[in-house]
Amino acid sequence: MKEEPMPTTPAASVLFVCVHNAGRSQMAAGFLTHLAGDRVEVRSAGSLPADQVNPAAVEAMREAGVDISGQTPKVLTPEAVQASDYVVTMGCGDACPVFPGTTYLDWALEDPAGQGVEAVRPIRDEIRRRVESLIREIDAKREV
């Protein structure tokens, strides 16, 4: 009798939050999806979502081999926060509701809004470094 493969459930779910959900949180979500694949459930949202993703962020991510051009800013909901193991805020202040059992991280990153791609590149690179560190943390917890 052939054994059915075990369904793979994500090791964790991560919600990235910034004010407009147009730059930092979109880049972070793009990197986490790109680097962790289906090992991690990824969401992003904003407390005051913009109309579109920052074009300079889209271009900077394209240069890094990650396409976020199809993303749209989404509004932050308490349900999205509650459904997440990790909530990573990026300059959204106290807009995020707090739920027990959720790990909250605050990443102080410059806001790329209104800046050209040259100014967005170092922000993108710092986000990638932090996302890679977060993946290591998630993987370490999974192995325990």
Side-chain angles (χ1 to χ4, degrees), residues 36-94:
D38 59 4
R39 293 189 351 246
V40 178
E41 182 181 12
V42 181
R43 291 190 272 288
S44 70
S47 50
L48 295 166
D51 295 331
Q52 66 178 26
V53 175
N54 179 336
V58 171
E59 174 62 18
M61 291 299 286
R62 187 192 61 72
E63 291 175 0
V66 180
D67 182 9
I68 61 169
S69 63
Q71 298 301 314
T72 55
K74 294 166 275 312
V75 69
L76 175 66
T77 65
E79 294 78 17
V81 175
Q82 194 167 17
S84 301
D85 299 309
Y86 292 84
V87 175
V88 181
T89 57
M90 303 170 186
C92 68
D94 295 330

Side-chain angles (χ1 to χ4, degrees), residues 82-115:
Q82 194 167 17
S84 301
D85 299 309
Y86 292 84
V87 175
V88 181
T89 57
M90 303 170 186
C92 68
D94 295 330
C96 296
V98 175
F99 292 96
T102 300
T103 300
Y104 292 87
L105 304 170
D106 186 44
W107 292 356
L109 296 161
E110 190 177 341
D111 188 349
Q115 300 194 52

